[in-house]
Amino acid sequence: MAPPFAHGSLPSAPGPRFNFAQHLIDCNISRPAKIALIDDVGQLSYSELAERIRRVAAGLLALGLRREERVLLLMHDSSDWVVSFLGAMYAGLVPVAVNTLLTADDYAFMLQHSRAQAALVSDALLPNLRLAMAQGGHELQAVVVSRPSAALNSGEVSLDALIEQSAPLPQAAATSPDDPGFWLYSSGSTGRPKGTTHTHANPYWTAELYGKPILGLLEKDVCFSAAKLFFAYGLGNGLSFPLSVGATVVLMAERPTPDATFKRWKEQQPTVFFGAPTGFAGMLASAKLPGKNEVALRLVSSAGEALPADLGQRFTAHYGVEIIDGIGSTEMLHIYLSNIPGKVRYGTTGWPVPGYDVELRGDDGLPVPDGETGDLYVRGPSAALLYWGNREKTRETFQGAWTKTGDKYVRNADGTYTYSGRSDDMLKVSGIYVSPFEVEATLVQHPAVLEAAVIGMTDTDGLTKTKAYVVLKSGQTATADELKAFVKERLAPYKYPRVIEFLPELPKTATGKIQRFKLRDMDKVAA
C-alpha cells in the first residue's frame, strides 16, 4: 500500500553556492518586524536576528578564527544559542553543538577530538568548560560567554560585547551545499561520542522534506520544543523548521519538566509542541495538566523513542490533538519515518517520508518480507558526511548512499513500520542513548562491586528505563541508593540505573560472556 502522503514533486536542491545561515536570513527579508525568538529574558525580531547573526560572524573572525575551524557551542537554549550557531555558520566556521548535561571529562574529550579553536558558552556552564580545558590541556583562542554574571578571566569575552564591538559582516562565507556546516555528537556504544559532520544543505533538506510538507508549519505558528537545540530533533524543531517559514520560536533554558512546559503552554500559547514519550507520560500523570481550553495546541510531534499507543491515545482524548510520532537520528539529522497529521497509526512509527527511501534487511543483507523483523536502513539527502576521525564506525554506518540506523523494525501490511528494538545493546532512556557498557564500567569501580550488567526494563507507561544487576564482592556491602549516587557522581546524571538488583552471580556462557538475554528474561518474569 502506498503511503498516504500528498503527491507532488520534491523540492529543488540548493544551488552551487549555499550558506544555511544566509538562507534563513533570505527566507525572512519580507517580515523584518515579525518576532522570531522568545526566550527567558526577551525576544528578537527577524531583522534583529539577522543583524546579530552578522555581527557574531564578524566578531568570531576578528578573534582570529579561520574558515572551517570548529567552535564548541555549549549553551542552554536561548536566542544567544541560535545567534551563535548561525553566526558561526555565516562566517564559514563549524559550530560543534554539544549536550549541556555532560561532565567536564566529556567536554575535555570533545574539545580535543574536534580541535575546537574557540567556545561559545552559557554563563552557568562556564565553570564546567573551564574545568574541561584545564583537565584536557586544550587551549582555545577565545571563550565567548552568553550573559555573564561576574567578571570574566583573560581570554574570555561576553557575547553581547562581541556583538556591540563588531560591524555586521556584509556577506556570508561562500560555502557550498556539501561544505561542512556543523557537528553534532552521537552517543557511542563504548561510551565515547562520535563527531557527526553535517553539511550546510542538511538542515535545508529536513525543513523542505519534513517541516513544511509533513508537519505543515506556517508563518503564524508559535513553535516550542522540549527537545533541546543540541539534539538533532530539537535543532529542526526549534531552529531549522520554524525559521524556514517565518514562525515564532519559544526557547527555554531549564529542563522540560511538566511544570516548566505547562508554564510556556499557558503563557506563550504555542500552536506546535515537540516532545518525547517520557515527557508526555510525565505530563499526563501530573495533577497540573492544563485543560484543552487553556492551550492553543494544533499539532504535537514526538520522537526520541517509540511512542506507546496508550500515551498517544490518552493525549488525544484530553486535547483532541494527535501526536505525530516519527523516528530520526543524529546521522540523518531529523525524521525520515513518520505518522502524518490526520492519519495517525498509534503503536507504529508511520510511513517513509517522501524524499527518503527505507529498507529492512536481514543478517544476510537482503530485504525481509512484511511481518518479519529487519535492520532499518535509510537513504536521503540529509545524511551526515562521516564520523570525524572514526573511519571504522563511518564505514559501518554510512554504507554508500545508505545509512544503517541500528534500529530494528517490522513493516506492516498497511505500509507502516513498528519498532522492534535496537540492533546493538544501546538503550534509549528519555530520548537519549545510554551505553550499558559505560554504566557497567562505572559500577565496577565501586570497591564493593565485583560485576555488573545493565539492561533496559519497561515501565508501566511502556517506556525504557535502565536496570543494573550487581554482584558484590565477598564480605562487602552496598545499597542500591549508594550505587546510584556513585554513578551519578562519575557520569552524566541521566545515565544512572533507575533500578538496581543484587544477584549472587551473573548468568554467563562457557567462555565467560554475560548472557544479557537471560537477565532480560528474568526481568520479564518478575514483571
Side-chain angles (χ1 to χ4, degrees):
M1 181 182 293
F5 294 111
H7 292 288
S9 59
L10 295 175
S12 58
R17 176 169 170 170
F18 182 79
N19 181 290
F20 183 65
Q22 181 66 62
H23 167 70
L24 291 184
I25 291 173
D26 292 343
C27 285
N28 296 291
I29 288 176
S30 63
R31 51 180 75 88
K34 173 80 188 294
I35 298 303
L37 306 174
I38 301 171
D39 69 8
D40 297 337
V41 300
Q43 59 188 35
L44 288 181
S45 68
Y46 271 102
S47 63
E48 291 170 331
L49 174 60
E51 174 87 357
R52 289 175 76 85
I53 288 170
R54 290 181 166 125
R55 286 179 179 270
V56 166
L60 291 175
L61 293 177
L63 291 173
L65 299 173
R66 297 172 296 180
R67 176 80 173 264
E68 293 187 12
E69 286 186 331
R70 270 78 66 191
V71 292
L72 196 80
L73 179 54
L74 176 59
M75 283 188 184
H76 293 303
D77 280 17
S78 64
S79 60
D80 280 356
W81 197 109
V82 177
V83 166
S84 298
F85 182 82
L86 294 176
M89 292 185 74
Y90 189 90
L93 305 171
V94 180
V96 179
V98 299
N99 189 331
T100 59
L101 305 174
L102 302 180
T103 66
D105 179 63
D106 293 316
Y107 299 134
F109 167 78
M110 291 171 175
L111 284 169
Q112 293 176 327
H113 180 255
S114 67
R115 301 172 197 156
Q117 296 301 300
L120 296 141
V121 60
S122 291
D123 180 68
L125 298 168
L126 180 57
N128 222 6
L129 177 67
R130 287 171 174 164
L131 183 59
M133 292 168 61
Q135 185 173 313
H138 186 86
E139 293 188 11
L140 298 173
Q141 293 186 45
V143 174
V144 182
V145 185
S146 169
R147 304 167 185 170
S149 58
L152 298 175
N153 295 340
S154 175
E156 298 172 349
V157 61
S158 81
L159 179 62
D160 282 340
L162 185 76
I163 290 172
E164 291 169 8
Q165 296 164 7
S166 305
L169 191 66
Q171 194 170 32
T175 50
S176 79
D178 291 335
D179 278 352
F182 60 95
W183 288 20
L184 299 173
Y185 271 97
S186 177
S187 297
S189 59
T190 58
R192 281 303 187 190
K194 304 184 291 293
T196 311
T197 305
H198 278 286
T199 70
H200 274 266
N202 285 164
Y204 164 85
W205 283 116
T206 62
E208 294 298 316
L209 295 177
Y210 192 70
K212 294 179 182 180
I214 305 304
L215 296 181
L217 295 186
L218 304 168
E219 178 183 356
K220 65 182 180 181
D221 277 319
V222 177
C223 300
F224 173 43
S225 175
K228 298 301 185 180
L229 290 166
F230 61 76
F231 288 118
Y233 178 50
L235 183 65
N237 307 338
L239 193 154
S240 308
F241 295 177
L243 300 189
S244 291
V245 300
T248 297
V249 184
V250 176
L251 297 166
M252 177 177 75
E254 65 185 297
R255 289 195 314 112
T257 62
D259 286 352
T261 300
F262 298 156
K263 183 175 187 288
R264 272 72 182 184
W265 280 7
K266 291 191 284 189
E267 291 183 356
Q268 304 297 345
Q269 292 289 295
T271 57
V272 182
F273 175 69
F274 301 86
T278 298
F280 291 122
M283 288 186 281
L284 288 170
S286 172
K288 299 179 182 179
L289 182 69
K292 180 179 179 180
N293 61 346
E294 296 181 82
V295 303
L297 299 174
R298 72 165 186 86
L299 180 71
V300 174
S301 167
S302 178
E305 54 190 323
L307 178 73
D310 177 65
L311 285 181
Q313 291 160 357
R314 287 162 52 203
F315 189 93
T316 299
H318 185 79
Y319 286 111
V321 176
E322 296 171 321
I323 298 181
I324 311 304
D325 186 31
I327 184 176
S329 66
T330 304
E331 291 75 13
M332 296 302 296
L333 193 57
H334 212 274
I335 290 171
Y336 46 80
L337 191 62
S338 180
N339 281 274
I340 59 168
K343 195 166 185 179
V344 168
R345 297 281 189 270
Y346 283 134
T348 81
T349 316
W351 296 265
V353 172
Y356 294 93
D357 297 313
V358 167
E359 282 188 4
L360 297 183
R361 302 178 187 174
D363 293 339
D364 56 5
L366 299 176
V368 300
D370 287 2
E372 290 191 15
T373 300
D375 291 310
L376 180 67
Y377 288 74
V378 60
R379 176 172 62 187
S382 63
L385 293 172
L386 49 80
Y387 296 131
W388 179 264
N390 197 332
R391 187 176 181 87
E392 180 183 356
K393 286 295 183 183
T394 295
R395 283 181 162 179
E396 183 181 314
T397 300
F398 303 104
Q399 301 181 11
W402 293 90
T403 299
K404 184 178 182 180
T405 68
D407 293 302
K408 287 186 178 291
Y409 267 85
V410 172
R411 187 177 187 273
N412 306 310
D414 64 354
T416 60
Y417 288 73
T418 300
Y419 181 66
S420 296
R422 288 286 298 172
S423 305
D424 52 26
D425 284 311
M426 292 292 284
L427 303 172
K428 211 161 197 184
V429 181
S430 300
I432 310 176
Y433 280 118
V434 174
S435 168
F437 308 107
E438 183 181 23
V439 181
E440 290 164 1
T442 303
L443 280 168
V444 298
Q445 293 174 26
H446 190 282
V449 174
L450 177 65
E451 293 180 309
V454 174
I455 64 167
M457 56 175 281
T458 303
D459 68 9
T460 55
D461 288 313
L463 301 170
T464 299
K465 304 299 180 187
T466 45
K467 179 175 183 177
Y469 286 94
V470 171
V471 178
L472 296 177
K473 294 176 182 175
S474 178
Q476 297 288 324
T477 60
T479 66
D481 288 343
E482 179 185 345
L483 295 181
K484 290 177 185 179
F486 184 83
V487 175
K488 283 183 180 181
E489 290 172 359
R490 288 157 178 79
L491 298 179
Y494 66 86
K495 295 181 180 181
Y496 83 95
R498 299 322 193 259
V499 176
I500 294 179
E501 184 173 329
F502 295 96
L503 294 176
E505 61 181 2
L506 297 177
K508 296 178 183 177
T509 65
T511 58
K513 185 176 181 180
I514 296 172
Q515 295 173 309
R516 285 186 178 79
F517 73 92
K518 288 190 175 181
L519 296 174
R520 287 189 282 265
D521 288 343
M522 287 168 51
D523 188 60
K524 290 177 184 177
V525 171

